């Protein structure tokens, strides 16, 4: 059944870091763009009242990079309501039902620990807030395949699948959507987008900073759960999936599922985990922690299109630059016509996903002179300085409208966990690496047979 537009937004955990850093700025942007004209109810256990809540929203916006827009804040503030109480107390949800007034189709954003999902969902059902309502669930969806299935059973016992919005903000990024559009709106890629011409694919998500106070949270998660199982596997699926038969959301999702199900589950020999020096001594990190702040993996897709083409993914903290990119390296020409010694893979397609955004085609061109000598060049097919709409604004707007296109289906979540499940936790050793380097030496050995890593250039 189609999901109708929500007539209220309820945010559980409104006083937390996620709400302060991402959700509240998105609300102001939605007001500015005319896409938020319903009550916004914050729910938390902070001992606050409405006035304190409004002050918190103002302070959060003032501290945000986009800044405080007085006119937009005034309108947003007029729509705010607040319910203070314990999530395990039924009275909290009775007061929530009262705060919603005549609203009957609320969208509930669960910015709370997954351990509270079952309690909150059951209380929402009891007070009649779930029957025509929808729910937004933050990643990670579980800690492994078994817990992901358990979480889904809890949520789906109250909300129908089409009313569950599993949010992965990476899918809301403009350059990620442009990657999909560039692939399927043009014909020239398809003839060589296969094992006959592609030598390897690399996906890198590098950050030149550390945990920024998130050590206690991150120590229970690690890089594989934090970005590989969700963000980067979804990017890999978008790069490698077969063309969908049409624009229908479920057809598109099914192609992503087919690709993810074709990925061979990881083995320990395909994984290198690293931990940046100094992480273990940070506040909030358990003594003797083996949580990885870096991971590199080698993947294989068992399909006709991609047989024998290695896919490499790496992600890490405290690396030399902050950049996310995909590089599809093409095979070298079968004969060296000009007798040049050309290292690496001069022919490639590069999708730069952030912080600056571009699509580049790598080629060889002749340098001026009498000799038939060349140089590597990149033809910039598309370039823009960055995001035009922040991902959380885009995703919240879509969820309010009942548009599920940019959200994950449960079968996608489970297929992703099935890939990484065999190598979670201490299935592989952790190698130390120095801050400001590209990770442990073992990661170089993982890829040395395919020419080494392509290190992203600094932004700008």
């Amino acid at each position: 059944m189609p999901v109708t537009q929500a007539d209220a937004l309820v945010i559980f955990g409104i006083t937390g870091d996620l709400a302060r850093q991402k959700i509240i700025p998105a609300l102001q942007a939605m007001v500015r763009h005319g896409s938020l004209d319903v009550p916004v109810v914050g729910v938390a256990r902070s001992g606050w009242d409405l006035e304190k809540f409004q002050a918190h929203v103002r302070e959060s916006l003032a501290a945000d990079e986009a800044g405080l827009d007085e006119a937009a804040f005034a309108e947003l503030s007029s729509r705010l309501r607040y319910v203070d109480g314990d999530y395990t107390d039924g009275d909290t949800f009775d007061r929530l039902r009262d705060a919603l007034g005549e609203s009957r189709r609320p969208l509930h954003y669960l910015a709370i620990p997954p351990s509270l999902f079952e309690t909150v969902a059951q209380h929402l059902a009891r007070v009649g807030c779930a029957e025509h309502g929808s729910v937004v669930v933050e990643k990670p969806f579980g800690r492994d395949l078994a817990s992901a299935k358990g979480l889904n059973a809890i949520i789906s016992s109250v909300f129908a699948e089409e009313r569950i919005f599993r949010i992965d903000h990476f899918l809301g990024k403009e350059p990620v959507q442009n990657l999909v559009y560039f692939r399927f709106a043009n014909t020239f890629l398809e003839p060589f987008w296969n094992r006959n011409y592609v030598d390897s694919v690399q996906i890198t998500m590098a950050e030149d900073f550390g945990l920024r106070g998130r050590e206690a949270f991150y120590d229970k998660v690690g890089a594989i759960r934090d970005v590989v199982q969700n963000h980067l596997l979804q990017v890999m699926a978008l790069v490698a999936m077969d063309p969908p038969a049409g624009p229908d959301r479920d057809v598109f999702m099914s192609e992503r599922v087919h690709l993810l199900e074709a990925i061979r589950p990881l083995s320990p020999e395909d994984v290198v985990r690293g931990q940046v020096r100094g992480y273990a001594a940070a506040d909030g990190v358990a003594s003797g922690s083996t949580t990885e702040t870096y991971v590199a993996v080698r993947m294989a897709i068992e399909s006709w299109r991609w047989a024998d083409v290695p896919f490499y993914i790496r992600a890490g903290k405290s690396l030399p630059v902050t950049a996310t990119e995909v590089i599809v390296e093409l095979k070298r020409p079968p004969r060296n016509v000009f007798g040049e010694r050309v290292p690496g893979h001069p022919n490639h397609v590069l999708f730069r996903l952030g912080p600056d955004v571009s699509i580049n085609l790598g080629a060889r061109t002749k340098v001026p002179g009498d000799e038939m000598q060349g140089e590597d060049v990149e033809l910039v097919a598309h370039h823009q300085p960055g995001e035009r709409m922040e991902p959380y604004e885009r995703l919240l707007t879509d969820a309010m409208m009942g548009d599920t296109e940019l959200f994950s289906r449960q079968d996608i979540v489970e297929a992703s966990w099935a890939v990484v499940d065999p190598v979670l936790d201490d299935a592989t050793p952790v190698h130390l690496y120095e801050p400001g380097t590209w990770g442990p030496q073992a990661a170089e050995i993982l890829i040395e047979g395919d020419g080494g890593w392509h290190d992203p250039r600094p932004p700008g």
Side-chain angles (χ1 to χ4, degrees):
M1 294 291 292
V3 180
T4 54
Q5 183 174 350
D7 59 3
L9 174 60
V10 180
I11 304 170
F12 291 88
I14 192 62
T15 61
D17 288 343
L18 174 65
R20 176 175 54 83
Q21 296 172 8
K22 299 295 184 181
I23 300 174
I24 291 174
L27 297 179
Q28 176 178 260
M30 291 169 70
V31 169
R32 292 179 60 190
H33 296 145
S35 54
L36 184 64
D37 58 359
V38 299
V40 177
V41 185
V43 185
R45 187 176 49 188
S46 299
W48 290 2
D49 57 14
L50 177 59
E51 184 176 353
K52 175 65 175 176
F53 176 41
Q54 290 169 325
H56 172 72
V57 171
R58 184 183 184 90
E59 292 166 4
S60 299
L61 294 173
D64 185 65
E65 184 178 356
L68 174 68
D69 182 320
E70 289 287 358
F73 170 72
E75 182 175 345
L76 174 60
S77 183
S78 71
R79 300 189 181 282
L80 295 179
R81 302 172 187 178
Y82 184 72
V83 175
D84 193 85
D86 194 301
Y87 301 135
T88 63
D89 185 352
D91 181 61
T92 302
F93 295 84
D94 293 329
R95 287 184 286 112
L96 170 61
R97 178 62 267 174
D98 292 340
L100 284 169
E102 296 181 359
S103 298
R104 291 295 179 266
R105 302 184 306 279
L107 174 68
H108 305 283
Y109 197 126
L110 304 187
I112 55 177
S115 59
L116 293 170
F117 286 0
E118 182 172 13
T119 299
V120 169
Q122 290 174 348
H123 280 304
L124 289 174
R126 179 184 62 80
V127 298
C129 289
E131 183 179 1
H132 301 293
S134 304
V135 64
V136 175
V137 185
E138 272 283 344
K139 70 91 179 172
F141 312 111
R143 288 184 50 80
D144 50 26
L145 180 57
S147 60
K149 289 181 176 180
L151 277 178
N152 182 60
I154 290 169
I155 298 295
S156 61
S157 68
V158 175
F159 296 93
E161 174 64 29
E162 64 270 15
R163 297 184 182 276
I164 302 173
F165 296 85
R166 300 174 186 85
I167 195 169
D168 182 342
H169 74 272
F170 216 70
L171 296 178
K173 287 180 171 287
E174 185 68 35
V176 174
Q177 294 183 50
N178 192 40
L179 184 160
V180 180
Y181 186 88
F182 191 80
R183 272 205 63 196
F184 300 129
N186 300 293
T187 59
F188 67 88
L189 288 178
E190 184 60 23
F192 65 81
W193 214 253
N194 55 63
R195 67 185 304 271
N196 297 321
Y197 294 94
V198 175
D199 196 57
S200 65
V201 178
Q202 294 184 29
I203 303 174
T204 296
M205 183 178 183
E207 294 172 324
D208 64 3
F209 50 86
L211 277 300
R212 294 178 170 174
R214 296 173 64 240
E215 286 85 356
F217 162 79
Y218 195 88
D219 200 45
K220 300 179 180 65
V221 179
I224 296 177
R225 289 184 171 96
D226 191 41
V227 296
V228 174
Q229 180 274 332
N230 38 70
H231 300 338
L232 300 184
L233 270 179
Q234 295 309 312
V235 171
M236 179 177 168
L238 297 176
V239 169
M241 62 183 272
D242 284 338
D248 181 80
R249 178 253 187 186
D250 283 327
V251 171
F252 190 92
M253 291 278 192
S254 295
E255 290 296 345
R256 279 167 57 193
V257 173
H258 293 159
L259 188 285
L260 291 166
E261 290 178 340
I263 300 175
R264 183 187 307 152
L266 287 170
S267 299
E269 59 267 24
D270 299 318
V271 179
V272 172
R273 295 193 306 139
Q275 186 182 96
V276 66
R277 189 177 298 279
Y279 169 82
D283 290 341
V285 175
S287 176
S289 172
T290 57
T291 297
E292 74 278 359
T293 60
Y294 173 98
V295 65
V297 300
R298 177 178 53 216
M299 295 188 176
I301 300 174
E302 297 178 328
S303 70
W304 277 35
R305 181 188 288 264
W306 297 113
D308 302 321
V309 177
F311 282 70
Y312 295 95
I313 291 177
R314 63 174 169 168
K317 303 286 186 181
S318 300
L319 301 185
V321 302
T322 293
T324 301
E325 67 179 33
V326 178
I327 184 165
V328 180
E329 297 188 316
L330 304 182
K331 294 181 178 180
R332 300 172 63 85
R335 296 293 301 273
N336 188 353
V337 175
F338 302 108
E340 295 181 288
R341 294 181 178 272
V342 181
H345 296 77
N347 295 152
H348 61 257
V349 181
L350 187 149
F351 297 92
R352 178 83 165 193
L353 305 181
D356 50 341
V357 180
S358 65
I359 299 174
N360 301 356
L361 307 179
R364 293 280 292 176
T365 61
K366 182 182 177 299
V367 298
D370 295 334
E371 300 294 326
M372 296 297 284
Q373 297 292 323
E375 63 179 347
D376 293 345
V377 299
E378 280 197 336
L379 312 175
V380 180
H382 173 80
H383 180 268
Q384 64 186 53
E387 293 280 350
R388 297 183 180 179
M389 179 184 287
E390 289 297 322
Y392 270 85
E393 179 192 355
R394 183 189 305 276
L395 292 167
L396 260 178
T397 300
D398 285 358
M400 291 293 292
M401 295 297 294
D403 184 349
T404 58
E405 182 177 352
L406 295 179
F407 297 85
S408 287
R409 238 171 35 189
Q410 181 62 19
D411 51 358
I412 291 177
V413 173
E414 293 183 7
S416 300
W417 277 119
V419 173
V420 303
D421 229 38
V423 295
L424 293 174
D425 299 320
D426 293 330
T428 58
V430 172
H431 306 268
L432 281 178
Y433 66 96
E434 299 297 326
T437 68
W438 281 105
Q441 182 61 31
E444 302 296 332
I445 298 172
L446 182 73
I447 198 176
E448 63 181 356
D450 287 297
W453 292 102
H454 181 281
D455 294 334
R457 56 173 172 73

